[in-house]
Amino acid sequence: MNLALVGINHRTAPVEVRERMSIPESRLQEAVVDLVHREGIKEGLILSTCNRVEVVANARDGVAPIPVIRKFLADHHQCNLALYETHFYQHRQQEAIEHLFRVASSLDSMIVGEPQILGQLKQAYTAARQAGALNGTLNEISLQALAVARKVRRNTGIGASAVSVSYAAVELARKIFGDLTGKTILVLGAGKMSEIAARNLIRSGAGSILVANRTYERAVELAEAFHGTAIRIEQMLDHVEKADIVICSTSAPHYVIYRHHAERWLAARKNRPMFFVDISVPRNIDPAVNELDNAFVYDIDDLGQVVESNKKQRDREAIWAEEIIQQEVQKAMRRLASREVVPTIVALEQKLEAIRENELERFRGRLGDLTPQQREAIDALTHGILNKVLHGPITELKSGVGRPEQGSLVSLVRKMFGVVE
């Protein structure tokens, strides 16, 4: 293994630099083919998202991969990479593996626990595989990174809680109603945040949707997108009682829903709960509504507090995730190191077996005619001697797997026995 990673991310580079270094998905295969056709590069992987551009390469022994990657980036973007020097980071060997595992597990993301990075890494892996750029150690490490990410999400709560306002609304709705199946949503003000919140609620099982907006055409547009019903704004108050969840985000500089409205709606609903999400600034829902039984009002600050609380929870889960990653990195290093001593063990066995056969052949004339039983006895004797000679060095090679001195031990054994790969 001769692994290197060179990259930039949202912490090391501003968006202007990330834009300059990004590689669009449509050109990913072409780029990774260019990378692996460079002198000494055996495998390559390129991850390019809005928050990071990372190039990973596995090179032949004796090749320095980082200068090759840097030259690739400079050529691909036709730029002087030295101008962006302070933004780049680089990792070698175990550090590169650990970095990949952390990226895949979203511990290196702008929002810890976000799920998109796993899908983006899968896309990068698929592009590299289809380009024929992954066929050995880096392929194995990439698959391990995906597996580690799944293990982190399965064994920790790093992605369990909402860290955006729109998802926080869904999380709160679930706490109030339990199952959202069939619940009716009323959107007051068809802005972007309302649209995102409504989409997340629909994806979580909510049923029909009503949309009211100052511009009726926009209400129709949004309602059609969700197969819902548009309402004229002046008729809005007549429809609210139908809604289990009310998302309010209008540009009105005053309350549009007051306590007496909510009292009437709750009576009409026979006190079935109503969940009001007020993401307007200034607020559009009178806070006094929240004083009523079965009326739950959350404004933008309430949702923000939920998000902040969830972020802290994710940070606590990230500590467990880091432990899982450290364990998986050590496992990966032991597997790779074990595989690297195998060629030496095989070469050692072949070398001594060749000596055994040559010596038997040299003495065959002196031994005269042997019966089958005698030949078997001589084979058993010489194989027994061979195995005893091999036992010591092979045991040492296997026990040295993963230790810092492994490389020196392998070199020493090869030198002592005159073994070449």
Side-chain angles (χ1 to χ4, degrees):
M1 179 180 72
N2 186 6
L3 201 65
L5 180 150
V6 176
I8 57 173
N9 65 21
H10 56 281
R11 282 191 298 275
T12 68
V15 64
E16 296 82 10
V17 176
R18 301 202 303 275
E19 285 173 347
R20 183 73 178 87
M21 292 297 143
S22 71
I23 299 174
E25 187 182 347
S26 60
R27 297 191 60 193
L28 215 49
Q29 282 195 35
E30 170 196 337
V32 79
V33 166
D34 178 10
L35 174 65
V36 295
H37 277 84
R38 302 213 166 215
E39 183 69 27
I41 301 298
K42 296 192 294 186
E43 295 177 279
L45 177 74
I46 300 173
L47 176 63
S48 181
T49 74
C50 58
N51 281 330
R52 68 182 64 246
V53 178
E54 295 183 339
V55 180
V56 195
N58 184 29
R60 300 185 194 288
D61 289 343
V63 173
I66 286 178
V68 180
I69 295 175
R70 295 175 67 83
K71 180 72 164 54
F72 157 76
L73 284 168
D75 292 347
H76 185 86
H77 295 294
Q78 299 182 338
C79 68
N80 178 3
L81 214 62
L83 296 175
Y84 307 100
E85 187 64 40
T86 57
H87 303 296
F88 278 93
Y89 48 84
Q90 57 192 43
H91 299 295
R92 292 275 286 133
Q93 305 292 67
Q94 181 173 336
E95 284 184 1
I97 294 174
E98 181 178 340
H99 182 81
L100 266 181
F101 285 9
R102 293 188 77 254
V103 168
S105 303
S106 76
L107 292 179
D108 200 53
S109 294
M110 183 179 287
I111 298 175
V112 171
E114 57 89 8
Q116 287 82 11
I117 188 63
L118 184 56
Q120 290 163 334
L121 184 58
K122 285 179 183 174
Q123 288 176 348
Y125 174 80
T126 301
R129 281 287 291 178
Q130 290 176 345
L134 288 174
N135 46 33
T137 301
L138 182 54
N139 180 59
E140 183 181 332
I141 292 168
S142 301
L143 289 173
Q144 286 174 10
L146 296 172
V148 168
R150 288 192 289 270
K151 183 174 183 177
V152 165
R153 299 193 79 79
R154 190 170 58 247
N155 294 357
T156 73
I158 197 168
S161 50
V163 290
S164 70
V165 166
S166 58
Y167 273 108
V170 174
E171 190 174 289
L172 289 169
R174 284 201 180 111
K175 286 181 179 175
I176 293 168
F177 297 107
D179 185 5
L180 298 185
T181 303
K183 299 302 177 192
T184 298
I185 307 166
L186 171 63
V187 174
L188 301 181
K192 197 62 184 175
M193 286 187 71
S194 296
E195 181 179 346
I196 293 171
R199 178 174 289 110
N200 291 333
L201 286 164
I202 293 287
R203 284 175 177 167
S204 300
S208 56
I209 183 168
L210 308 170
V211 182
N213 192 62
R214 184 168 52 87
T215 307
Y216 183 65
E217 289 73 18
R218 172 58 183 153
V220 171
E221 181 186 345
L222 185 59
E224 287 180 348
F226 294 115
H227 305 291
T229 304
I231 300 169
R232 295 194 179 276
I233 194 70
E234 56 272 19
Q235 299 170 344
M236 175 266 293
L237 293 177
D238 298 330
H239 292 268
V240 179
E241 67 182 51
K242 302 174 188 172
D244 303 289
I245 302 167
V246 179
I247 303 170
C248 194
S249 179
T250 79
S251 56
H254 50 70
Y255 299 149
V256 297
I257 294 176
Y258 289 89
R259 178 184 172 117
H260 67 275
H261 292 132
E263 286 175 333
R264 176 161 54 88
W265 297 327
L266 285 166
R269 291 170 56 85
K270 301 186 186 306
N271 279 322
R272 281 184 292 122
M274 296 186 75
F275 175 35
F276 297 88
V277 181
D278 187 357
I279 48 183
S280 317
V281 178
R283 288 175 295 175
N284 289 165
I285 300 177
D286 181 357
V289 172
N290 200 41
E291 297 169 1
L292 299 173
D293 289 342
N294 295 317
F296 303 89
V297 180
Y298 284 82
D299 63 28
I300 191 72
D301 282 356
D302 296 329
L303 295 173
Q305 288 174 11
V306 171
V307 168
E308 282 306 310
S309 173
N310 288 345
K311 282 181 178 176
K312 289 177 182 173
Q313 178 62 30
R314 286 195 177 196
D315 289 342
R316 288 192 287 272
E317 294 295 326
I319 296 172
W320 297 109
E322 292 283 8
E323 286 193 13
I324 291 173
I325 286 173
Q326 289 306 315
Q327 292 168 5
E328 294 299 323
V329 168
Q330 293 307 315
K331 284 183 190 174
M333 292 306 295
R334 283 196 294 273
R335 275 197 299 270
L336 291 169
S338 175
R339 202 174 59 187
E340 288 189 348
V341 303
V342 169
T344 298
I345 292 174
V346 170
L348 185 58
E349 290 173 335
Q350 290 174 341
K351 173 88 176 181
L352 294 194
E353 175 62 18
I355 292 172
R356 187 188 76 85
E357 290 179 354
N358 287 339
E359 290 303 302
L360 283 176
E361 186 62 30
R362 196 158 67 87
F363 282 88
R364 195 170 299 283
R366 299 185 196 180
L367 294 173
D369 293 334
L370 299 174
T371 65
Q373 291 79 12
Q374 289 171 326
R375 282 198 293 274
E376 284 181 10
I378 291 173
D379 277 344
L381 172 67
T382 53
H383 272 123
I385 295 171
L386 200 65
N387 288 337
K388 287 184 182 300
V389 171
L390 284 170
H391 178 73
I394 288 177
T395 300
E396 285 300 316
L397 285 171
K398 288 182 176 177
S399 64
V401 167
R403 295 180 185 170
E405 65 272 19
Q406 182 197 350
S408 301
L409 181 62
V410 170
S411 299
L412 177 63
V413 170
R414 285 177 179 168
K415 189 173 181 180
M416 285 176 62
F417 289 89
V419 170
V420 292
E421 282 189 83

